[in-house]
Amino acid sequence: MTDAVLADGADPRPLDLSGRDGERAVLEGVLRGARTGRGEAAVVLGESGSGKTALLDQCAWAAADGARLLRCTGVQSETALPYAGLQVLLRGTLDRASCLTGHQARALRGVVALDAPPAGDRFLVGAATLSLLDELAEERPVVVLVDDAHWLDLETMDALLFAARRLGRGQVAMVFAAHEESTAFEGAPGVPMLRLGPMTDQEGAALLAHRAPDLHTAVRDRIVGLAQGNPLALVELLGALTTAQRKGSEPLDAREMAVLPASWRVRRIFDERIRALPGPTRSLLTVAAADDTGDVALVVAAAAQLGAGAGDFGPAEAADLVRVSGQRLAFRHPLVRAAAYQGAVLTERTSAHRALAEATSATGDMGRRAWHLAAATVGYDEVVAAELERSARLFRSRGGQAAVAAAYRRAARLTEDRETRSLRLAAASAAAAEAGQAELAEALADEAGPVSNPSAVARIAGVRAALERERGRAESARLLLVEAAAQVTACCPATGARLLFESAAMAWDAPDPVAAARDTRARAAALDFGGHPVERGAAGVLDMLTGHQASGAAAIREFAAYVVRTRQERSLNDQVRLHGWDMLLGEYRTVHEEAVALEWECRERGAVGILARVLLRLARLRLFLGRHRDAYTTAVEGLEIACDTGQRHLATMLSGALAVLEALDGRPPGGMDEARGSEGREGGNRQGPVEWAGQHLCPGVEPIPVWLTRAQGLLDLGRGRYDLATQRFTALTGGPHGHLMVSVHSLPDQVEAAVRIDRAADAGPAADRFARWARATGTAWSGAVELRCRALLAGDDARAEEFYERALAAHAGDGRPFEQARTRLLYGEWLRRARRRAAAKEELTTALDSFDSMRAGAWAGRARTELRAVGVAPAAPAPGAHHVDRLTAQERRVVLLAATGLSNRDIGARLFLSPRTVGYHLSNAYPKLGVTSRAALGALDLG
């Protein structure tokens, strides 16, 4: 990597960028945003020599006027070193890390200064990077420039993109430049892309005319043709001409040039310049090209072993190939580095890496040493392979899963023993999967081949199953896991039990969950898991799927108690994976309390990637508990984090929760009203920006189908479209998905809709199925809803009234206010039809107040209609009547934390935002809430 930490080191001269006016204007806007407190980022894509580096140089020149510049360049040979790019980019700024919260400071120092074990995952490093940039921007705007970003290590890329998507109101600008074929930014929605096409012949001619006014016309036209619109090719081809060639009196030497791409022509020019240098200078350049730090002392120390010294930089500087300033070295252009490295023969490159390994040993950077040794090794070498394996363990401690995968993969290449090689490939595959490198993980699993070691079997099965699930093939994933369980249980019952549990969990997403559960049980029947508690949990999950609710409930309760009792014995990731299955029993308040504790732990540890899963669970729990505002706020944050961390499967499920919330408030999922056509995104009874569907947070992510169907059914039910509602709920509760939790929740809805259209044949069986589940689980709220269903189906008025009264009594304190309000609504409707207007008014008014308070616009509308039918004229909901509804999701999250007394810095650390962005949201929230200070927030009802 090469860098310039301060803008003072930038070239003071503006660059000639003919033909790039549009791109310059966009980047000037990005820089202007940083100066005005509107953080922005952009990506510049183009072929080699298309002007990417020149545009970054222009940004650096512009930043010299009062901004702080942080700059680095990706290096191909260092793509496997975790945080190699971040170490170069931020190494001169860590004195400010002490201003960050504890876990963010530890995370950043652990990966940049290497002086402490980092805390949290790689996305926490991104949050810490954002906080550090914001801290630096308190003094003056900060401009971050990254060239050849496609060669950055994945950990640095993840951290920088996480920060780029959350710049908010910070005075920070980030500009990345990468090759046009790079896929590094495909998962970065919200970061604008600029694609540099070729310059026109007229633009190329204008550039040459500016640089060489005396250039002969025919020569100019020839160079324009050879350059093919590539700006660097134009400049370097011009610089390679002799005086006679410029005047047209000597023909151009175009051997092989006409058939080479423009970037290759430039490489040829740089190759020729390097070949013309003295031998020691070439050796020095090869070492510098193999190094990523740009540290002159390190390069000179390594080059000394090859007979070169600091004085040998002179000829390279004179040829305008490198620039040395103090202790920093920079290649003039990434293509110069490529020419210096790739132009060297194999023995020269291996010698350079071996010398760098020796020189790096003195710095204590064992990770770099291992990689340089690997690059210097040809053939098998167990000593180097073992050192790489040790470095993989080091990388894992720093959250660098992509680097772990690369280290194990390279170690496997150096390993002659087949079994050891397969174990290392299995470890590489698992790490690649955790890093989000799906294709690489699959390729490494294939390369590992058949394995017998239980750990390797479990790792490869887990990788393949996760990949299959992401592709929508849950049944295939289930089979992989249960077959692996059969393979390893005899020698490792605990591993087998874990695989069985994962297979049982995967059955819920299979096309036919019931058949999948039965098959899993049959395949595991002969296996002995030694009474492991996780196997008991798997049995409970399978029982619930296959309709054996009483035995399933008992097993799941035992398992849930075991998970809570032993939580300190397992990793946070395993805690989250095993927690919450008692949701299947309707135990929402208990599970919610435990999930809140897990959320707190994730935030304290900075486990951003795991947090998305916990937020999904919390969003669903809060939805079930009738805490619709909290569910909405939680789901939006979860969706943001899932998208920022590349967890698309979680994003679809979070989007599904948002779709249901949208429907409950009376808005169609996605904002399209079937009756009135396209609606604005501010429908319902809510004022201000609406983010419910979340499309702008994660473009291209659609709600999970089963949740979308439920959302549509609820909207139909709320609007009185009972035929459509019955069809949707029948689809959910019938067929293979009849025992999924979303289906269980849909059974009472199906009963209500079917009764409305006199289809008792549909309503009765649905009520019976829900009753069986309610009795097996024994929760108060399910008993109350069962009584409500019986009231709807009662054949005479006395029985109906009895069931309604018993249902309302059972609802008391059951933790399901939305279900209680629905029972009151239905009772009020029944009382109105019985001409008991006063009693109906009381029940309907109470129901309406509840629906309005919890943001359930569809049901509030029904209650108003019924009240009008009994002669009451309820007031229409005032737009934004509940002051919290005037806030965006982000503002509400910030306000809730500010009301507890947390500082902006602490709030930013918990929400992974910059403190300046937190302050911006607070300043927007105060007038919406009618307050002028943080102190007044504690007195507000923010529920």
Side-chain angles (χ1 to χ4, degrees), residues 480 556 753 794 851:
L480 285 166
I556 286 174
F851 291 137

Side-chain angles (χ1 to χ4, degrees), residues 766-895:
D768 291 342
R769 284 175 55 193
F770 186 80
R772 288 194 297 272
W773 180 82
R775 290 163 191 165
T777 57
T779 57
W781 74 265
S782 62
V785 173
E786 179 198 349
L787 289 166
R788 182 177 80 204
C789 291
R790 293 172 68 181
L792 285 167
L793 290 167
D796 62 78
D797 289 349
R799 293 284 287 168
E801 184 169 12
E802 176 195 350
F803 286 136
Y804 276 127
E805 291 290 349
R806 288 173 58 191
L808 288 174
H811 272 304
D814 69 350
R816 299 297 303 276
F818 179 65
E819 293 301 334
Q820 183 179 36
R822 287 183 63 180
T823 300
R824 288 192 182 281
L825 172 63
L826 290 170
Y827 188 25
E829 291 174 347
W830 182 87
L831 289 167
R832 179 188 63 78
R833 289 193 297 274
R835 301 183 184 281
R836 295 164 59 180
R837 301 167 70 87
K841 174 185 174 182
E842 181 180 351
E843 296 296 342
L844 293 170
T845 299
T846 304
L848 175 60
D849 290 344
S850 295
F851 291 137
D852 275 342
S853 69
M854 70 181 70
R855 207 156 103 179
W859 269 260
R862 275 180 56 178
R864 283 190 172 83
T865 299
E866 290 295 323
L867 280 168
R868 283 191 287 269
V870 297
V872 177
H882 198 297
H883 48 244
V884 174
D885 288 341
R886 302 168 188 168
L887 305 178
T888 66
Q890 193 74 284
E891 289 166 357
R892 185 167 185 266
R893 291 200 293 270
V894 168
V895 164

Side-chain angles (χ1 to χ4, degrees), residues 28-380:
E28 286 168 2
V30 171
L31 298 181
R32 190 162 52 250
R35 297 182 188 280
T36 58
R38 189 186 70 251
E40 293 188 26
V43 177
V44 182
L45 299 174
E47 69 168 350
S48 300
S50 59
K52 303 185 299 296
T53 300
L55 284 168
L56 292 189
D57 287 343
Q58 182 71 30
C59 290
W61 173 79
D65 183 18
R68 181 166 191 161
L69 177 67
L70 303 176
R71 188 169 184 176
C72 72
T73 300
V75 179
Q76 183 177 6
S77 62
E78 304 291 352
T79 55
L81 279 174
Y83 301 108
L86 214 60
Q87 289 163 12
V88 172
L89 190 71
L90 300 181
R91 62 186 166 195
T93 66
L94 281 186
D95 59 307
R96 302 297 292 273
S98 59
C99 297
L100 308 185
T101 58
H103 58 280
Q104 288 195 359
R106 287 193 300 274
L108 204 57
R109 293 197 64 86
V111 301
V112 176
L114 307 181
D115 60 356
D121 58 24
R122 67 188 190 276
F123 300 111
L124 174 64
V125 177
T129 299
L130 173 64
S131 296
L132 180 63
L133 294 177
D134 198 65
E135 179 66 31
L136 295 171
E138 289 296 319
E139 297 176 350
R140 51 177 169 159
V142 174
V143 176
V144 177
L145 305 178
V146 181
D147 206 354
D148 271 2
H150 51 282
W151 292 130
L152 283 180
D153 59 277
L154 182 62
E155 288 76 18
T156 292
M157 181 62 79
D158 281 342
L160 292 179
L161 284 179
F162 188 93
R165 283 173 52 82
R166 291 171 169 258
L167 291 176
R169 308 305 298 186
Q171 295 190 93
V172 179
M174 300 179 73
V175 182
F176 302 85
H179 194 274
E180 60 187 354
E181 296 179 357
S182 170
T183 60
F185 298 94
E186 288 181 353
V191 182
M193 307 282 182
L194 299 178
R195 298 187 181 275
L196 302 183
M199 298 174 66
T200 65
D201 289 352
Q202 292 77 13
E203 291 167 341
L207 187 152
L208 290 175
H210 175 77
R211 286 183 170 262
D214 60 341
L215 189 65
H216 191 280
T217 303
V219 176
R220 181 198 64 199
D221 293 344
R222 175 66 168 147
I223 291 177
V224 167
L226 288 172
Q228 298 176 339
N230 186 292
L232 185 62
L234 283 167
V235 172
E236 295 303 328
L237 288 169
L238 174 65
L241 298 178
T242 65
T243 302
Q245 286 173 332
R246 284 179 176 238
K247 295 179 178 179
S249 58
E250 179 182 319
L252 297 182
D253 181 5
R255 290 173 299 175
E256 302 182 49
M257 298 293 276
V259 297
L260 291 174
S263 59
W264 283 57
R265 295 170 189 161
V266 177
R267 269 287 310 277
R268 288 281 298 266
I269 292 171
F270 290 147
D271 286 340
E272 291 172 2
R273 290 186 192 172
I274 292 170
R275 281 198 297 269
L277 296 173
T281 301
R282 292 199 305 274
S283 296
L284 191 61
L285 284 185
T286 303
V287 171
D291 168 64
D292 78 314
T293 66
D295 185 334
V296 171
L298 178 66
V299 171
V300 170
Q305 301 175 50
L306 306 178
D312 293 307
F313 276 123
E317 289 182 283
D320 196 22
L321 295 171
V322 296
R323 297 165 186 168
V324 180
S325 176
Q327 287 302 306
R328 302 262 67 81
L329 177 149
F331 282 89
R332 177 201 159 187
H333 190 278
L335 283 176
V336 178
R337 180 190 290 274
Y341 187 78
Q342 297 169 8
V345 299
L346 177 63
T347 55
E348 292 170 335
R349 292 197 299 270
T350 56
S351 295
H353 281 293
R354 193 171 294 108
L356 281 166
E358 184 67 26
T360 302
S361 297
T363 69
D365 190 343
M366 295 298 101
R368 275 190 171 81
R369 168 186 157 79
W371 273 107
H372 282 306
L373 283 176
T377 303
V378 178
Y380 298 127

